[in-house]
Amino acid sequence: MKYIKYILISSMVVFTGCTLDEIQNPNSPSEETFAENASQADIQLLAVGLEAVMRNDIAFHYNSVSILAREYYDLSGVDPRYTGELLKGPLDNNGFLTTRAFAAWYKVVKSANLLVPAVENSLAGFSDETKNGYYGFAKTLKAYALLMVANRNYTNGIRIDVEDPDNLGPIVSYENALSEIMDLLNEANSNLASAGGSFDFNTTLGFDTPSDFSKFNRAIAARVALYQGDNQQALSMLSNSFFDLNGDLWTGATHVFGLTGNDLQNTLFHVLNQSGQEFMIHDSWINDAEAGDLRVAEKSNLFDGGTVLFDGLTADYQIALYDSNVDPIYLIRNEELILIYAEAQIGLDNNQAVAAINVVRNAAGIGDYSGDTDNNSLIEEVLKQRRYSLLGEGHRWIDLRRLNRLNENYVPLDRTGDNIIDAFPTPFTEGL
């Protein structure tokens, strides 16, 4: 499916903080029209728009959190803030590094908040099953977006309740945000369980029916449970997800891209060996890899122009996660779930943890794990496998932080004045 009409929704959702600016356009429906008198076609458009708007500015999220973890650097020289502010701090609470991804994720939240009452008040007269399909879909994606912004803001907290722009809910702590996100995922999953055999709309995320979408929902819930430090709950969520210890590591939910109409391209794709595309993997990722690790060849490219030097930083390898500008970007995939399973088993059944670690290691061509099997050693091994398997997928910074390893032993500081940053500030536009 191509998102030929998604601009309608994204143009309606323009943030100043968490508020919605009114845009009067006589040629397109108003927010009130959607909320009170939407047709079936309107509702389907809203669902497609919700999914499509998730791709907006997605590169700003992945680039910023990956650079903070020193997974890779932007040495293209396009904007000095990528090698200055982002690596030295403090982060500007009114600069694009802080505000752009924040606003993008809250556009998703706003779109979900618009879809739910629109379904309830639609002129289409939907059945309860159909309504539940929309509700489960919207709430799951809303929870995903809130998780992304919570991970960015961390101890600075986020707003969960932004449904009424004139009466925004309070800023809640990271721990409370995770709890409310889990509650929302569980609520969405209950909706999906009562949604019948099919959705009333098309989705391109890769989980096309309510029962399949529930597996995606449970996968995200497993991630949240891991962040909460609740290993038993993480394992429980995995058991109802698409987790498969023997399955394809790349099975998962994806954003799709295209080159026609109003569709978007994957802007995390970088043309290899081209000037202006110097997104360079940190040398330590190359140097710390085990001999023969297939992920190194798959995800990196020795830059033809030789060592890249910019702003006192150097690197030899360009990041090469995507082969084209229409490659999908994953929201979550089976390899992450296997590593969640491995981590959650540590301290419960270390043999199972090792078995899961070996699935990932053997897929990477480096053979079975032969190290110590005490809890700390296994945590280190899972963290290492996550570093190589999930490069550039937005995890390393969060992993180091949640495992109390966001320090110079894991985050190289290459220049005098470089610092480790653990959270984005609350945007100035939030008025705090």
Side-chain angles (χ1 to χ4, degrees):
M1 179 200 306
K2 300 301 182 186
Y3 296 97
I4 59 174
K5 293 186 178 180
Y6 100 94
I7 288 178
L8 169 64
I9 303 303
S10 63
S11 67
M12 290 171 56
V13 186
V14 179
F15 271 80
T16 302
C18 288
T19 64
L20 179 72
D21 292 341
E22 294 184 5
I23 298 177
Q24 300 300 325
N25 183 350
N27 296 315
S28 67
S30 66
E31 181 187 359
E32 290 74 19
T33 298
F34 278 117
E36 299 295 338
N37 301 297
S39 67
Q40 181 185 26
D42 291 334
I43 299 298
Q44 290 169 336
L45 174 61
L46 283 173
V48 170
L50 168 58
E51 187 174 311
V53 79
M54 293 184 75
R55 306 172 305 163
N56 284 6
D57 287 337
I58 195 168
F60 285 91
H61 173 80
Y62 285 107
N63 284 335
S64 56
V65 299
S66 298
I67 292 170
L68 284 173
R70 275 62 169 186
E71 289 191 282
Y72 59 84
Y73 287 143
D74 177 357
L75 302 184
S76 65
V78 170
D79 193 307
R81 285 172 287 188
Y82 281 110
T83 56
E85 178 185 330
L86 201 55
L87 299 178
K88 295 177 182 294
L91 293 176
D92 181 359
N93 70 347
N94 200 32
F96 80 95
L97 292 172
T98 293
T99 62
R100 192 154 179 177
F102 180 92
W105 289 122
Y106 270 113
K107 286 180 183 179
V108 179
V109 174
K110 182 62 183 181
S111 295
N113 286 341
L114 179 58
L115 177 57
V116 170
V119 170
E120 183 64 32
N121 300 323
S122 173
L123 296 176
F126 293 123
S127 68
D128 287 343
E129 281 190 349
T130 299
K131 288 180 180 179
N132 277 314
Y134 280 109
Y135 297 157
F137 175 79
K139 293 173 187 176
T140 298
L141 297 188
K142 175 181 175 180
Y144 180 90
L146 288 170
L147 180 61
M148 295 299 103
V149 74
N151 282 330
R152 292 178 67 84
N153 281 34
Y154 189 43
T155 50
N156 291 317
I158 65 166
R159 299 187 198 273
I160 298 291
D161 180 7
V162 295
E163 292 188 29
D164 182 354
D166 296 320
N167 186 29
L168 297 173
I171 298 281
V172 303
S173 70
Y174 181 67
E175 292 75 18
N176 287 343
L178 290 181
S179 179
E180 293 196 45
I181 289 166
M182 181 65 84
D183 289 345
L184 185 58
L185 285 167
N186 289 336
E187 183 180 327
N189 199 49
S190 295
N191 291 134
L192 293 167
S194 301
S198 62
F199 285 126
D200 185 54
F201 54 92
N202 294 321
T203 171
T204 63
L205 293 179
F207 295 84
D208 300 334
T209 67
S211 61
D212 283 343
F213 206 81
S214 172
K215 296 176 182 178
F216 163 64
N217 174 291
R218 297 294 81 184
I220 300 302
R223 183 192 286 177
V224 174
L226 189 77
Y227 292 171
Q228 291 177 308
D230 191 337
N231 290 348
Q232 289 281 13
Q233 187 176 35
L235 293 172
S236 176
M237 297 301 176
L238 286 175
S239 68
N240 293 304
S241 73
F242 61 91
F243 162 70
D244 184 352
L245 201 59
N246 300 307
D248 187 339
L249 301 184
W250 290 91
T251 296
T254 60
H255 296 299
V256 297
F257 299 88
L259 301 176
T260 60
N262 291 319
D263 213 339
L264 298 180
Q265 299 179 31
N266 176 353
T267 53
L268 288 171
F269 165 71
H270 304 295
V271 179
L272 298 184
N273 298 308
Q274 180 170 306
S275 177
Q277 300 286 300
E278 293 94 345
F279 283 74
M280 309 299 292
I281 294 178
H282 196 278
D283 286 343
S284 65
W285 190 85
I286 303 294
N287 297 334
D288 294 346
E290 293 186 39
D293 193 326
L294 299 175
R295 293 167 294 191
V296 173
E298 290 169 353
K299 300 182 180 188
S300 66
N301 171 69
L302 183 61
F303 201 65
D304 280 353
T307 299
V308 175
L309 170 63
F310 178 76
D311 199 13
L313 299 168
T314 63
D316 295 307
Y317 286 81
Q318 188 178 16
I319 193 164
L321 292 182
Y322 304 99
D323 295 327
S324 79
N325 58 359
V326 293
D327 275 6
I329 293 174
Y330 282 82
L331 289 81
I332 193 167
R333 57 188 180 87
N334 190 42
E335 190 164 12
E336 180 190 344
L337 299 187
I338 291 172
L339 289 167
I340 290 175
Y341 177 82
E343 185 176 339
Q345 288 287 7
I346 295 172
L348 299 174
D349 187 337
N350 285 9
N351 289 331
Q352 279 297 308
V354 171
I357 288 168
N358 285 340
V359 169
V360 173
R361 287 181 59 92
N362 281 287
I366 53 176
D368 287 351
Y369 174 69
S370 59
D372 293 336
T373 57
D374 61 280
N375 290 356
N376 188 66
S377 295
L378 291 180
I379 285 290
E380 287 292 327
E381 178 62 19
V382 167
L383 187 59
K384 181 177 182 179
Q385 297 313 314
R386 288 178 68 92
R387 181 186 184 190
Y388 285 88
S389 289
L390 306 179
L391 173 72
E393 296 183 37
H395 296 284
R396 179 69 172 172
W397 184 55
I398 300 162
D399 288 342
L400 293 176
R401 189 177 63 195
R402 67 184 177 82
L403 293 171
N404 298 314
R405 287 163 169 83
L406 195 64
N407 57 54
E408 291 183 45
N409 293 324
Y410 296 85
V411 181
L413 301 180
D414 295 322
R415 304 167 302 182
T416 301
D418 283 358
N419 290 297
I420 295 171
I421 297 170
D422 68 352
F424 284 86
T426 301
F428 174 80
T429 49
E430 287 297 281
L432 296 178

